[in-house]
Amino acid sequence: MKGNWLTDHILTTFQTISYSTGHNVDSIPGPKTRAAIVTVKKGAKGNLTWILQGALFTEGYSPGSLDSIFGKGTETALANFQKARDISVDRKADKATFTELFAG
């Protein structure tokens, strides 16, 4: 990945929790990484929300606390990121949004 060490760590963490056996965790946002992306939206809790929050933070969009809960702060940061990157502002982190976040 073309990011800093924190961005690379976030992508590696995503790959670790998303991949089935048989794929190397390589911090490269390739086709298998994009295929593993699921949509995360307000109300979601857990590892993928934490990854979303961390990725938004590293791109300069603070979600508030990195608490693994997709609340108002994460929703606002996500909408601002989507608008700035000319992604449909639907306040959901889908394949297009995660692909852009992982692109660095």
Side-chain angles (χ1 to χ4, degrees):
M1 173 163 209
K2 295 184 270 181
N4 59 37
W5 68 269
L6 182 57
T7 305
D8 289 346
H9 178 70
I10 291 168
L11 179 56
T12 301
T13 302
F14 173 81
Q15 289 174 332
T16 300
I17 65 171
S18 297
Y19 289 160
S20 300
T21 58
H23 183 72
N24 292 330
V25 173
D26 56 12
S27 76
I28 298 171
K32 289 188 179 184
T33 301
R34 287 189 296 278
I37 295 171
V38 298
T39 299
V40 181
K41 59 186 177 180
K42 191 169 183 180
K45 298 177 182 178
N47 291 334
L48 291 177
T49 301
W50 179 86
I51 289 168
L52 171 63
Q53 290 173 331
L56 287 166
F57 182 81
T58 62
E59 290 295 317
Y61 299 89
S62 177
S65 61
L66 303 178
D67 59 3
S68 302
I69 301 169
F70 193 138
K72 184 66 176 164
T74 302
E75 183 181 45
T76 300
L78 176 60
N80 291 336
F81 175 80
Q82 289 173 326
K83 183 177 180 183
R85 296 295 176 97
D86 201 25
I87 302 169
S88 175
V89 182
D90 60 4
R91 300 175 184 265
K92 297 176 187 174
D94 57 8
K95 287 186 190 294
T97 301
F98 272 112
T99 299
E100 189 68 23
L101 281 167
F102 291 156

